[in-house]
Amino acid sequence: MHDFGDIFVKILVINSGSSSLKFQLFSLPDFKVIASGLLEESDDEQSPARMTFPVNSGETRTINTTLPTTQERPAISAMLGLLRAYDIMDDENDLAAIGHRVVHGGEAFHEPVLIDEDVIKAIEKLIPLAPLHNPANLSGIRLLREHVPDIPQVAVFDTAFHQTIPEHGFLYALPHELYTKHKIRRYGFHGTSHGYVARQAAEYLDRPLDELNIISLHLGNGASAAAIKNGKCIDTSMGLTPLEGLVMGTRSGDLDPAILFYLSRETGMNMDELDNLLNKASGLKGICDENDMRTITKSAAQGDQRAQLALAMFCYRIKKYIGSYMAALGGVDCIIFTGGIGENSAIVRKMSCAGLHPFGITIDQEKNALRHKKRAAIHSTESSIQVLVVPTNEELEIARQTLQVLTTASLHKGKNNAI
Ligand code: ADP
């Protein structure tokens, strides 16, 4: 038996990437994390797997092991093996459900859904829109359906939150048939995070979400902004793919598309090379050879001019999005900073909001400089717009949405299972 007291059921959250698997196991009803792990799949014999879980003493225990390289996608069975071996999940039947992060839901999915064969087919059809992510997400879903066929699985889509964006916001000014024939439009990503922090902000401000206009800035390795009007997303900076919008760790964000034609003609670069250039070798990395904001901030403070430039470009792009979303929303109640950079970098928050006092945004530098591990307001008393730091928690949000889908499905069946 496990050591965790009165736990009846658990929810497992899976983020299955092309060469790694991240998981978190939550106990219900309080959504406490009882184990989390990262398993990396490679041809290397030392492919690492790590699982962390709290023990009775209140401390955390970490298990480091390696994955077999003989199996295809060994991470799923290794994860289940680890959970069993350490008595964290001695019986799969105490799993209420498995929630999967699925990157692209296209226009097919506006909300999380219980996974069945039709849902799998629909996610498969969306592979051209997310050729790296959706196949990886699907392989996780399929393998878990084989390993634990009786456990309900739920797909939570990164794009779903943005499905409320109106047509004039999601369409590109391209021939209309590119949308009708090829589904080329803005989809947006990080939706689970934007939705989560918006709700967290409403709770913190003690106001109904549907009365709030919010600009949410998710700044991590990937970065995106969302304009949220009365609780619903009306615009976001990422587009057909996560490449558009803000300056990111290795992605360029917005640029003149003609740069690609020019480069192709001038240098003969092919599509794959251009793709790699914009997704992997641009952004902060392209500007200053470094994509970790901690290092960039340190180098900038020591006088490194490229690092200073990277920081300035990163923050200037954010400021432009704040301005344009203020116009799109026609009045803003609060701005949220989240993600690894948004939550931790006082200098990024300061530079992104610098000079915005004529628009009602003033940061309190002392509050901004504090380390915020939980929700906190960092605006000054004269600021008419509230500026918040809100830690995101996509896994928790996926677990909550998974439970919600399950509860709704059970109610539809006219019975409420053991939740
Ligand atoms: P991902 O998008 O991969 O989930 P995260 O949200 O974890 O990434 O964000 C990673 C980014 O956050 C990195 O650029 C990292 O340098 C930055 N970051 C983390 N902690 C700090 C900090 N204390 N100060 C500045 N940047 C930070």
Side-chain angles (χ1 to χ4, degrees), residues 143 158 271 286 299 362 418:
L143 279 168
D158 243 27
M271 280 303 157
S299 307
T362 317

Side-chain angles (χ1 to χ4, degrees), residues 130-179:
L132 291 180
H133 290 104
N134 273 26
N137 303 154
L138 270 176
S139 78
I141 291 170
R142 286 208 179 95
L143 279 168
L144 275 159
R145 274 163 75 86
E146 275 169 31
H147 281 281
V148 284
D150 298 329
I151 310 297
Q153 298 196 51
V154 171
V156 179
F157 300 92
D158 243 27
T159 46
F161 181 69
H162 304 299
Q163 279 296 302
T164 47
I165 298 176
E167 209 174 26
H168 65 262
F170 73 65
L171 281 179
Y172 292 107
L174 292 167
H176 196 67
E177 65 179 31
L178 292 189
Y179 170 55

Side-chain angles (χ1 to χ4, degrees), residues 22 190 218-223 249 284 291-295 297 338-348 371 392 394:
K22 272 198 233 168
H190 290 148
H218 178 110
L219 312 175
N221 282 316
L284 296 170
N291 63 302
D292 190 305
M293 187 51 91
R294 277 167 294 206
T295 316
T297 312
T338 193
I341 299 172
E343 291 165 33
N344 295 300
S345 177
I347 182 99
V348 166
R371 275 187 79 67
T392 193
E394 286 163 284

Side-chain angles (χ1 to χ4, degrees), residues 11 96-97 114 152 154 401-411 419:
I11 287 190
L114 203 55
V154 171
Q401 292 193 15
T402 298
L403 180 62
Q404 216 164 32
V405 169
L406 206 62
T407 312
T408 313
S410 306
L411 288 175
I419 299 164

Side-chain angles (χ1 to χ4, degrees), residues 3-4 32-34 52-62:
D3 299 321
F4 306 105
K32 214 165 91 190
V33 177
I34 51 174
T52 302
F53 56 96
V55 283
N56 266 353
S57 59
E59 285 167 7
T60 301
R61 182 162 177 206
T62 300

Side-chain angles (χ1 to χ4, degrees), residues 104 106-107 125-131 182-184 187 189 240-241:
H104 219 306
E107 289 185 327
K125 265 177 85 176
L126 293 164
I127 286 176
L129 288 172
H182 300 288
K183 292 290 167 213
I184 291 178
Y187 290 98
F189 300 87
L240 176 79
T241 76

